[in-house]
Amino acid sequence: MARDPRFDVLFEEVQIGPKTLRNRFWQVPHCNGAGSERPGMQAEFRGVKAEGGWAAVFTEICLMTPDSDPLPWIGSRIWDNGDIRNLALMCEKVQEHGSLAGAELTHGGGLNHNAETRLPARGASQIPSDISAASCRAMSKREIRQIQGEHVDAALRARAAGFDLLTLFCGLANITNFFMYPFYNKRTDEYGGSLQNRLRFTKEVLEMMREAIDDCAIGIRMPIDTLEEPYGYGEAGFVADRDAPEYLETLSPLVDYWDLNVGTLNWGEDAGSSRFFPSNHQAPYTRIAKQHTDKPCVNVGRFTEPEVMLEAITSGQCDIIGAARPSISDPFLPKKIEEGRFDDIRECIGCNVCVSRWEIGGPPIWCTQNPTSGEEYRRGWHPEYYTRAKNTETAILVVGAGPAGLETAMVLGKRGYEAVHLVDDHKRMGGHLGWVSSMPGFAAWRRVVDWRETQIDQLDNVQFVPSTRLTADDILDYGAEHVVLATGSVWAGDGMNGPMHDVIPGADAALPHVLTPEQVVVDEKQLGQRVLVVDHDNYYMGSAMAQVAAEKGSDVTYVTHWDSLGEYLRFTLEEQRMWEKLTELGVEVHSQHLTLSLENNVGSLLHLWSGKERSVEFDSVILVTQRNSVCDIYDELHDDGERLAGAGIQSVHLVGDAHTPGMVAQSVFSGHRLAREFDSADPSVALPFIRERRLVGSTEDDFTLTSVSISDKIAN
């Protein structure tokens, strides 16, 4: 398919100091959970993006010294020769596709826990860490010169590893920021006070790097505005209109590029979710840079649509399209634009599940749209290529066209199975995402369905059968050799919940005043004036129901046993904005409360720590307590081998929420994993994957999965 010539500008070369960028696509530094301790994962993860057309591919934060240790958050390290060797593998994988490899050189200063190294932190002024009980030492001038030298040493190690692009990270919470922002810098010497004094530390580091290195491009990644309070530092931070002109004009002679975003350590205002921020929402701030520098400028903005990218370049906003989340969702996004395959772009939905994995501090990265993300090395999965199955001459029935069923059917089709039927009792594909994506702020989540529907439409061997409800007998008579049940889950109508492991007296969704989320959105069951939302889930649904009810005009009281409204929203960077939304809507929030009963239109609440009870009267109550798997057909069939054999069915499998209710990302992964391994001896059991770890006195046997299970040993 030919590319529209209008988009040719996106594929022009850009000179970056001594390096040439082959197009205008730049994977900005972002976490993936690999660090330098999982070199295989790091290399393959980044290499696939280079293969997909990203002309520059970066590490996450690349920590320069042992006292820049942010554990439990995982970053790369460039401390010693071992790190050089490990990160060199990433450089090789990126460069073999003609792309430039970049390192984001980082020192967290006083922010660092240094939990592993146990070293004291260094900072501009002695201000306690924003996120821990630790403080730091206000460095003397001699100590400043020492840490500046350590920056240069780290840059030289990065160069030795093979990196082409060396970014000095001046964002979030970093030693350069601690000098730059009055919020942190209380010094009275030549490193404090005026803007020129506060940027002196960064300027001197750049001068020293320039003196030591002349064959790598050197740049800065920074927020061009730290935003107004309460989301940022206000006047005590970096204000684009006030500070950017002087800052950019002073440092531009020392850099080859600028990588710009917005925000602070509160980075949800930059990498905001699609529920609260549109694509390219940073543009009013970042576009200022081009007025004050002639060096190439990279902008981020959760760019997924080619038209938006084109406008960003042709309008003069920036020179290069930067992306983290869109590059995770579709590592081949540039190549698909280059080839004119816009419908094949797997657009990021902005759910920030990828971000949450960093915030939790655990590998690997997850992506709702792209289940191969983080699995390129350890499982050998590629986002675009699928091995042809060994047993393609078979008929497979997939029941349920939600996220798990769609992914299963699509991957089975791409692996060449000759007859895959995807059956659902609804007219349209989507499962629960059909109604979730209709809620305020969730429209982008529909992309999970739309992309898979587009892919399935291109597969002649996959047939969608809508508006068909199958019973166990129907499945036995269908003629399939293999059956996959992806029948999803439903919200409990009796208040069964995790904290109490029991139902809530008075909770019965068959009653007119008691509702589940499905009844609120799909059935449009009538809400009363006074609505009580009982949330024992820890993600988005409870607060979303409170928003829905309030926007319908109800007076809403929200009750949860968690400390906040959907604890996981903190990890997806949505908690703050959700609080703001519910506050604007007048929702009354009672956290740390159990709901003991809902009888006679009165919610009896118990405060967890004080033991005090309170009552809330309501006209309607929405139960967001737990989800129950719809797996009755699977349970009936799976336990009846005789009936299955009589029907010619060789296997029955259960995926997604029908197996275990969880995030959409987990449902998609569940279906993908089963389909990728459908020609294994038993696809219900996941194949082993590579674990990158050091083994003491290892032998070949340590890497071999035993063929005798524990249950076999017990039986024998």
Side-chain angles (χ1 to χ4, degrees):
M1 188 179 298
R3 178 179 75 239
D4 186 329
R6 292 189 304 122
F7 296 95
D8 289 352
V9 66
L10 298 177
F11 298 92
E12 294 174 344
E13 291 184 348
V14 180
Q15 196 64 34
I16 309 288
K19 302 293 182 178
T20 301
L21 197 69
R22 62 185 171 111
N23 61 40
R24 296 183 187 269
F25 292 93
W26 180 289
Q27 180 246 279
V28 298
H30 76 78
C31 53
N32 66 357
S36 44
E37 279 68 41
R38 294 175 178 82
M41 175 187 172
Q42 185 73 271
E44 292 296 335
F45 178 85
R46 308 293 179 184
V48 163
K49 296 193 185 191
E51 181 187 359
W54 297 92
V57 179
F58 276 78
T59 63
E60 61 277 82
I61 56 172
C62 194
L63 307 162
M64 292 187 276
T65 64
D67 69 337
S68 183
D69 164 25
L71 283 178
W73 299 311
I74 297 173
S76 294
R77 297 171 177 179
I78 194 72
W79 296 356
D80 54 33
N81 290 338
D83 294 326
I84 292 175
R85 288 200 304 273
N86 281 2
L87 290 175
L89 183 59
M90 172 196 150
C91 294
E92 292 169 8
K93 287 291 184 180
V94 169
Q95 291 160 352
E96 72 180 34
H97 296 290
S99 297
L100 303 178
E104 183 182 52
L105 301 174
T106 303
H107 194 295
L111 173 78
N112 293 309
H113 299 98
N114 293 327
E116 179 182 4
T117 63
R118 303 292 296 276
L119 297 176
R122 294 174 284 179
S125 300
Q126 192 164 64
I127 302 239
S129 168
D130 296 272
I131 57 176
S132 75
S135 188
C136 64
R137 170 168 170 73
M139 290 184 289
S140 67
K141 294 177 187 177
R142 183 174 180 179
E143 289 167 329
I144 288 174
R145 183 59 60 177
Q146 176 186 346
I147 199 171
Q148 289 174 327
E150 291 168 354
H151 277 63
V152 177
D153 291 342
L156 288 168
R157 289 192 292 273
R159 176 182 176 274
F163 287 104
D164 305 289
L165 308 170
L166 305 180
T167 291
L168 180 63
F169 187 32
C170 302
L172 296 182
N174 198 281
I175 192 69
T176 51
N177 299 49
F178 296 144
F179 276 95
M180 185 63 223
Y181 303 157
F183 187 71
Y184 293 104
N185 187 342
K186 310 301 178 184
R187 301 179 73 98
T188 56
D189 60 10
E190 63 266 38
Y191 289 96
S194 70
L195 179 63
Q196 283 295 322
N197 280 359
R198 286 183 283 112
L199 63 76
R200 186 185 307 277
F201 177 89
T202 303
K203 182 180 179 183
E204 290 175 348
V205 168
L206 289 170
E207 289 171 342
M208 294 168 70
M209 289 175 65
R210 281 286 178 202
E211 185 175 347
I213 300 171
D214 62 5
D215 55 353
C216 294
I218 297 172
I220 280 181
R221 178 168 169 80
M222 62 165 287
I224 199 166
D225 199 294
T226 53
L227 308 180
E228 298 178 358
E229 299 175 293
Y231 303 113
Y233 303 143
E235 294 298 308
F238 192 97
V239 181
D241 290 336
R242 181 192 68 191
D243 302 321
E246 184 177 351
Y247 185 92
L248 293 166
E249 291 166 12
T250 299
L251 297 183
S252 276
L254 297 171
V255 303
D256 297 310
Y257 59 88
W258 294 95
D259 180 356
L260 304 168
N261 58 4
V262 299
T264 64
L265 185 60
N266 176 15
W267 61 302
E269 297 303 297
D270 179 48
S273 86
S274 58
R275 293 178 65 190
F276 302 105
F277 295 94
S279 178
N280 200 23
H281 74 274
Q282 303 97 323
Y285 302 100
T286 56
R287 68 170 66 253
I288 293 171
K290 291 294 294 174
Q291 302 170 30
H292 302 283
T293 181
D294 58 356
K295 299 299 173 68
C297 291
V298 182
N299 281 187
V300 292
R302 194 166 44 81
F303 293 110
T304 65
E305 300 174 38
E307 290 285 355
V308 178
M309 301 177 198
L310 183 63
E311 172 64 19
I313 299 297
T314 57
S315 69
Q317 174 188 327
C318 61
D319 304 289
I320 300 167
I321 298 299
R325 292 169 293 173
S327 75
I328 299 166
S329 181
D330 197 337
F332 274 61
L333 185 151
K335 186 173 286 292
K336 290 173 182 177
I337 296 175
E338 185 176 23
E339 296 172 353
R341 297 189 293 121
F342 292 4
D343 289 345
D344 287 334
I345 295 172
R346 191 189 301 105
E347 288 188 80
C348 170
I349 70 170
C351 64
N352 278 5
V353 164
C354 56
V355 170
S356 75
R357 298 298 296 169
W358 155 265
E359 288 290 324
I360 290 172
I365 190 171
W366 292 2
C367 177
T368 299
Q369 277 281 58
N370 177 17
T372 71
S373 185
E375 308 295 343
E376 300 87 352
Y377 175 71
R378 69 175 192 169
R379 282 191 163 95
W381 293 353
H382 192 282
E384 299 298 316
Y385 307 130
Y386 301 82
T387 57
R388 185 168 178 81
K390 303 169 187 174
N391 55 342
T392 56
E393 296 180 0
T394 187
I396 304 172
L397 171 63
V398 180
V399 182
L406 284 169
E407 185 72 10
T408 303
M410 181 195 73
V411 176
L412 289 172
K414 291 191 174 190
R415 294 200 63 208
Y417 285 97
E418 65 178 22
V420 179
H421 280 206
L422 175 62
V423 179
D424 196 270
D425 58 357
H426 290 83
K427 185 176 181 180
R428 295 188 64 192
M429 300 177 184
H432 77 286
L433 284 184
W435 61 268
V436 167
S437 60
S438 73
M439 297 193 303
F442 288 90
W445 287 35
R446 179 74 198 180
R447 293 173 177 175
V448 174
V449 179
D450 292 343
W451 182 77
R452 285 159 180 81
E453 184 172 6
T454 298
Q455 299 302 299
I456 287 172
D457 285 346
Q458 298 173 19
L459 297 170
D460 293 336
N461 55 335
V462 181
Q463 179 181 344
F464 176 52
V465 182
S467 306
T468 302
R469 180 181 292 274
L470 298 179
T471 65
D473 287 337
D474 294 331
I475 291 172
L476 291 169
D477 293 337
Y478 201 89
E481 297 166 82
H482 300 276
V483 177
V484 180
L485 287 152
T487 41
S489 64
V490 294
W491 287 96
D494 56 8
M496 186 70 186
N497 63 88
M500 294 188 292
H501 293 204
D502 204 351
V503 300
I504 301 174
D508 181 358
L511 298 173
H513 66 286
V514 181
L515 304 88
T516 64
E518 294 98 334
Q519 290 174 325
V520 173
V521 181
V522 180
D523 301 338
E524 297 184 332
K525 194 172 175 181
Q526 187 66 39
L527 287 171
Q529 184 58 43
R530 298 170 301 173
V531 172
L532 175 65
V533 177
V534 178
D535 183 12
H536 290 310
D537 186 44
N538 76 330
Y539 194 17
Y540 65 86
M541 187 58 74
S543 55
M545 284 293 102
Q547 180 181 349
V548 167
E551 290 182 349
K552 286 178 178 287
S554 296
D555 301 318
V556 180
T557 301
Y558 169 92
V559 178
T560 181
H561 71 287
W562 299 100
D563 292 336
S564 186
L565 37 82
E567 291 281 285
Y568 205 84
L569 296 180
R570 185 167 301 171
F571 302 130
T572 58
L573 312 182
E574 296 172 292
E575 178 189 33
Q576 176 175 279
R577 286 287 177 167
M578 197 68 239
W579 267 108
E580 180 184 56
K581 173 62 69 175
L582 296 191
T583 299
E584 288 177 354
L585 292 170
V587 174
E588 184 177 342
V589 176
H590 297 297
S591 60
Q592 300 183 345
H593 278 80
L594 286 174
T595 301
L596 302 180
S597 73
L598 296 167
E599 296 174 312
N600 302 315
N601 290 76
V602 176
S604 177
L605 312 181
L606 175 69
H607 187 258
L608 290 175
W609 313 123
S610 69
K612 293 182 179 179
E613 295 188 23
R614 70 168 66 195
S615 297
V616 177
E617 295 182 354
F618 61 83
D619 301 310
S620 300
V621 59
I622 303 175
L623 303 173
V624 187
T625 56
Q626 76 169 44
R627 285 179 288 162
N628 296 328
S629 294
V630 179
C631 55
D632 50 327
I633 294 178
Y634 173 83
D635 292 338
E636 178 182 343
L637 294 177
H638 189 256
D639 290 337
D640 197 337
E642 187 175 334
R643 288 176 74 197
L644 291 174
I649 296 176
Q650 300 173 26
S651 67
V652 180
H653 306 279
L654 193 64
V655 294
D657 283 356
H659 187 288
T660 307
M663 292 184 174
V664 179
Q666 287 294 79
S667 290
V668 172
F669 180 89
S670 172
H672 190 95
R673 203 266 331 146
L674 181 77
R676 281 273 188 178
E677 301 175 357
F678 209 75
D679 50 357
S680 66
D682 183 0
S684 289
V685 179
L687 293 175
F689 53 83
I690 297 172
R691 295 167 58 206
E692 295 187 75
R693 67 203 193 280
R694 181 180 180 182
L695 296 179
V696 178
S698 60
T699 66
E700 184 176 347
D701 189 56
D702 291 320
F703 302 94
T704 303
L705 184 70
T706 178
S707 59
V708 181
S709 68
I710 293 175
S711 58
D712 289 334
K713 291 179 179 178
I714 294 173
N716 295 326

